[in-house]
Amino acid sequence: MKRLTYQWKNTRRDKMCILTFLLPVFVGIALRLISGVNFQAVGETSFGVLKKGLSDEAAVWLEANGSVAQYESESALREAVNDPSTQMIGVLDAGGGIRTLLSGDELDLYRVIAETLPQLYERRTEKLPYKRTVVPVQEDHDGLKSLLLAITLVTAMFMGCTFNAMNIISEKEDGVALINSILPMTARSYILQKIMLGIIGGTASTVITAVICVRIPPARIGSCLLLILLSAYISALAGLFIGYFSEGMMVGIIYIKIAMILFLAPPIFFYLMVPDGSVWRGLSCLLPSGASFYGLMDLLGGNPDRLGLYILILLAHAVVWSVFYAVMRKERVLTGRLF
Amino acid sequence: MGREFFHLLKKDGRLMLSGKFFLLALGSLVLYSVYIHFVYVNVNQEIYPVYLYDPKGKQAISTEYVTRVDTRERLEAACADRYSAGVDLSSDEPELYMLSSGLDTVDHYRAAWAWAALDEMADGQVQITGTNSREMKNRREITAEFLFFELSAVGFLGLASMLFKEKQMGVIRVHAILPVSRSAFIFSKLLWILASDLTFAALLTVINLGFPVGVTVLPAVLVQAGILSLLMALIGFLCAIGLPDFRQFSLLYLVIAVFVTTPVFLAGQTGLSWGWLKYHPMYHLFMSMKSAYFGAPVKAILYYLVCVGGIGLLFLLAHRALTREMVKEG
């Protein structure tokens, strides 16, 4: 405990450091203030039409199937369809029916929709020959808002990693690491002391952000806390690994960058691009950040069925990497190479 | 003057080499290229799958979009992803079963699509207006994003880490009494960062877009890469002079990397537009980079004027900060 106090004293002087831990909190507040209206459109099929270019009937029918944007001229419409960041399908009048425009670089989903849209339109008046059972899924409708929130929370957790890595590297550069290695200290107490502040900082920052912008039912607070704690622990541990492997600041920062890309990018990427339940999505769950990200998304979306699984994955990561780190460090000390 | 500058260049080059700067840039290049070639190029999203439970064999199907299942349970399990649609023909009244995706329009379309897929609707006609295939678009898009990320990260970090090292070694103090102009001190660092960033940009582009396409977009890409590299390097310079140690800098860097670039990426990837985004300078830099990759470089003179002005202003600020630091160091 006493040693931890020293660590804390060492950090406390660093105002900037404390500020950065608080930054996710500020982002959380900002997200809370942004209204959810802007976030609706993602996930819908988007259609582009000409102003007054379609019959009223067709316009109403299109609006039932996706979001519709209007353009003044055909060239503006073509430009919007060709815009590489959109998956927009252009819809034009074709004497009673409709015809579609596509830029050719869309996902298969939108290609098939564009190909079949005119035929679907032709049978718009026919009644669906099935009894329609749509099981409602309780969901947060601000899909993208919760995505931004989850990114903020995962970043908050990741702060611990950066903090620890930088802490160890600067100790190495100042020579404190050499002193540490002759102190009578077990590997476990070294690990505990080194990562405690990172965990506490990461957890505190995540919890405060979560309190500000997420409403989680009381029954799930426990599992949410467990998820946050485990993720913060793993990220702090990642910081230890980076500190262990890097010789200098420069190398360390590059490792942090790579870890950040590998940690933050895949879950977000797979969440946006790959439908739930596919192999890639399943694989990305194996990454610790994937598990915490999806766990958070599920918590935010209100379906905690798989939360247990995610916590298990995180737990497994925590155990495996801790053991790995302890063994690795022990070996290095035994072979006489100091840090 | 020329000789002194050459020696400064040599010194900074050695410093970068010893910091494994080039090795790490090469590592990033390999990491990105492998990711693009083996993962991102294959990114796709299939049309909503339709599952059919039809024990009495009422419906014959031959289309690839429909999959038969043996039991009602399997049908419900297949639809649990909230993406697929299921059709149950076991009872007298056929039933369409699906889990809501959360968006009414998508549910509406999925219902209509399931019906159409079962009726074996033929593939229709669509007019293609663009020139990119999906693969090429993916390549251009992700290369632009990686380059943007890498440039805003490496230029920034590279220069800052170099300067921190020099600060620690007392080089700045020594420079204060040397007859070398402060501009030369900044210039030699900028030159190295610019050269390495441009090489990186060229390699990344040619490797991931292929030689013929890569070469056609390269001039426009290099212009944008140069602008971004200089801007970020100068910001890194300012931060490195202003902040007392590298740990603080790295945390600040993390914040910049995540919170400044994330909204930009989201807007670029999903075509979302927020009203305030046009006041975000990184957004304009990113969009110019992206349009350079898609063969339609930004032509607005105002954009270039602002960029050049920004670089000039940052340079002046860096010069002033350096002067102040030297005075402080005695």
Side-chain angles (χ1 to χ4, degrees):
Chain A
M1 195 61 212
K2 200 171 163 194
R3 289 167 176 168
L4 207 62
T5 326
Y6 280 119
Q7 297 270 357
W8 163 241
K9 267 188 183 162
N10 188 18
T11 317
R12 205 178 44 189
R13 273 184 232 118
D14 209 343
K15 298 272 181 322
M16 183 77 197
C17 183
I18 294 170
L19 248 174
T20 27
F21 268 111
L22 287 179
L23 251 151
V25 179
F26 297 142
V27 176
I29 295 172
L31 275 179
R32 173 98 204 240
L33 296 177
I34 296 176
S35 75
V37 185
N38 296 332
F39 296 106
Q40 285 280 348
V42 168
E44 274 184 313
T45 313
S46 68
F47 301 109
V49 299
L50 288 175
K51 218 166 218 176
K52 299 194 185 111
L54 284 181
S55 64
D56 290 345
E57 193 188 6
V60 170
W61 183 79
L62 269 186
E63 270 166 19
N65 285 299
S67 64
V68 180
Q70 293 192 334
Y71 295 91
E72 293 287 344
S73 66
E74 192 165 332
S75 63
L77 173 64
R78 275 169 194 266
E79 204 173 292
V81 170
N82 281 344
D83 180 349
S85 21
T86 66
Q87 302 277 340
M88 185 181 279
I89 299 170
V91 181
L92 296 172
D93 184 66
I98 54 172
R99 64 193 176 90
T100 49
L101 292 180
L102 211 57
S103 78
D105 60 12
E106 282 84 358
L107 299 168
D108 269 1
L109 168 67
Y110 298 105
R111 182 183 55 78
V112 177
I113 290 181
E115 280 173 359
T116 49
L117 201 68
Q119 298 172 57
L120 282 184
Y121 178 69
E122 270 169 31
R123 49 201 259 181
R124 67 195 174 280
T125 47
E126 293 175 43
K127 202 177 160 293
L128 196 70
Y130 311 119
K131 181 181 77 176
R132 216 176 102 140
T133 314
V134 180
V135 183
V137 175
Q138 190 206 348
E139 217 221 348
D140 187 352
H141 285 277
D142 307 333
L144 198 68
K145 194 168 175 178
S146 42
L147 175 68
L148 284 179
L149 260 177
I151 295 175
T152 310
L153 291 177
V154 175
T155 313
M157 293 169 190
F158 195 77
M159 285 291 178
C161 168
T162 320
F163 174 78
N164 278 332
M166 281 301 136
N167 188 345
I168 295 179
I169 296 170
S170 62
E171 282 196 356
K172 260 187 187 174
E173 296 208 326
D174 299 341
V176 180
L178 293 171
I179 299 173
N180 272 343
S181 67
I182 51 165
L183 289 179
M185 191 168 37
T186 60
R188 197 192 294 147
S189 75
Y190 176 81
I191 295 178
L192 268 182
Q193 281 176 46
K194 269 287 155 251
I195 61 180
M196 218 26 130
L197 274 188
I199 297 180
I200 294 172
T203 311
S205 158
T206 316
V207 167
I208 297 172
T209 316
V211 166
I212 289 173
C213 39
V214 188
R215 253 157 286 144
I216 293 170
R220 289 191 208 121
I221 287 181
S223 48
C224 179
L225 210 61
L226 196 61
L227 189 82
I228 292 176
L229 260 177
L230 279 171
S231 315
Y233 175 77
I234 293 171
S235 114
L237 201 65
L240 279 200
F241 272 99
I242 293 173
Y244 179 89
F245 283 117
S246 30
E247 255 105 65
M249 279 287 180
M250 180 75 199
V251 182
I253 202 93
I254 305 284
Y255 285 149
I256 290 178
K257 190 188 82 189
I258 293 174
M260 192 169 71
I261 294 173
L262 291 180
F263 256 66
L264 292 180
I268 300 169
F269 173 77
F270 287 114
Y271 179 81
L272 281 178
M273 307 300 285
V274 187
D276 200 359
S278 72
V279 184
W280 280 108
R281 189 88 170 250
L283 281 179
S284 72
C285 282
L286 291 179
L287 279 176
S289 60
S292 39
F293 182 82
Y294 296 133
L296 279 173
M297 286 306 282
D298 282 2
L299 264 178
L300 293 176
N303 47 333
D305 306 343
R306 275 178 287 179
L307 209 58
L309 177 71
Y310 293 134
I311 289 179
L312 263 181
I313 294 177
L314 286 175
L315 202 64
H317 271 288
V319 172
V320 168
W321 293 110
S322 309
V323 171
F324 188 58
Y325 182 78
V327 169
M328 202 172 65
R329 190 174 171 278
K330 210 170 178 180
E331 225 153 68
R332 205 178 242 204
V333 173
L334 282 180
T335 50
R337 282 177 297 146
L338 294 173
F339 299 88
Chain B
M1 181 66 201
R3 234 185 93 215
E4 283 146 14
F5 189 65
F6 176 72
H7 280 292
L8 263 180
L9 270 181
K10 215 164 114 185
K11 177 212 69 176
D12 283 332
R14 284 228 183 104
L15 209 61
M16 281 170 94
L17 267 182
S18 77
K20 296 189 184 149
F21 186 88
F22 299 113
L23 199 69
L24 292 163
L26 194 71
S28 304
L29 184 70
V30 173
L31 183 76
Y32 292 150
S33 302
V34 167
Y35 182 76
I36 294 174
H37 274 280
F38 294 104
V39 180
Y40 199 81
V41 162
N42 304 319
V43 164
N44 199 357
Q45 191 176 357
E46 299 295 334
I47 184 83
Y48 312 108
V50 178
Y51 292 92
L52 175 67
Y53 173 48
D54 181 20
K56 294 173 191 154
K58 288 179 190 163
Q59 181 106 29
I61 44 166
S62 60
T63 151
E64 52 179 316
Y65 301 123
V66 182
T67 314
R68 279 183 186 277
V69 288
D70 304 335
T71 59
R72 171 77 187 192
E73 285 71 37
R74 292 238 172 100
L75 181 82
E76 290 186 7
C79 294
D81 59 4
R82 297 164 59 201
Y83 189 75
S84 311
V87 176
D88 181 353
L89 296 183
S90 60
S91 60
D92 290 339
E93 190 184 15
E95 181 192 355
L96 175 79
Y97 173 89
M98 58 188 191
L99 264 66
S100 170
S101 66
L103 287 164
D104 291 342
T105 53
V106 172
D107 290 346
H108 188 269
Y109 182 83
R110 273 157 77 211
W113 163 250
W115 177 32
L118 276 184
D119 275 7
E120 315 237 342
M121 196 169 55
D123 281 350
Q125 285 295 310
V126 58
Q127 189 186 349
I128 301 289
T129 60
T131 49
N132 275 319
S133 65
R134 197 187 71 242
E135 186 193 324
M136 205 56 212
K137 178 217 156 195
N138 280 359
R139 281 177 186 278
R140 287 177 197 254
E141 185 177 71
I142 194 73
T143 312
E145 283 169 16
F146 275 150
L147 183 63
F148 178 77
F149 186 78
E150 185 67 15
L151 288 190
S152 42
V154 164
F156 190 60
L157 274 181
L159 213 154
S161 70
M162 227 155 62
L163 205 65
F164 271 117
K165 203 158 197 172
E166 294 201 327
K167 229 166 135 181
Q168 276 175 358
M169 295 191 302
V171 176
I172 294 189
R173 200 174 304 169
V174 175
H175 263 284
I177 53 165
L178 282 182
V180 178
S181 84
R182 275 153 217 155
S183 307
F185 184 81
I186 305 177
F187 263 133
S188 98
K189 286 185 178 26
L190 281 187
L191 216 59
W192 272 110
I193 297 282
L194 186 65
S196 85
D197 279 352
L198 289 184
T199 318
F200 182 87
L203 285 175
L204 189 75
T205 309
V206 171
I207 290 175
N208 292 305
L209 262 58
F211 192 74
V213 183
V215 168
T216 50
V217 300
L218 206 52
V221 168
L222 287 183
V223 170
Q224 301 303 330
I227 291 175
L228 192 60
S229 165
L230 286 176
L231 279 174
M232 292 314 292
L234 282 167
I235 293 175
F237 192 94
L238 272 172
C239 288
I241 289 208
L243 294 172
D245 78 33
F246 202 79
R247 188 175 55 197
Q248 296 191 343
F249 177 78
S250 64
L251 286 173
L252 181 75
Y253 162 71
L254 185 74
V255 169
I256 289 183
V258 175
F259 293 124
V260 171
T261 49
T262 307
V264 175
F265 277 130
L266 279 179
Q269 275 274 354
T270 59
L272 263 186
S273 54
W274 291 297
W276 51 267
L277 207 61
K278 63 172 182 282
Y279 301 110
H280 196 320
M282 296 305 269
Y283 176 71
H284 294 283
L285 289 168
F286 174 67
M287 289 319 274
S288 319
M289 177 71 83
K290 194 164 174 178
S291 46
Y293 267 100
F294 280 91
V298 179
K299 291 198 180 74
I301 297 187
L302 185 66
Y303 167 77
Y304 294 102
L305 279 181
V306 170
C307 285
V308 172
I311 292 173
L313 186 71
L314 282 171
F315 185 83
L316 281 180
L317 282 176
H319 193 275
R320 254 189 67 190
L322 186 68
T323 311
R324 207 182 305 147
E325 182 73 14
M326 282 180 176
V327 170
K328 210 166 74 189
E329 296 258 344

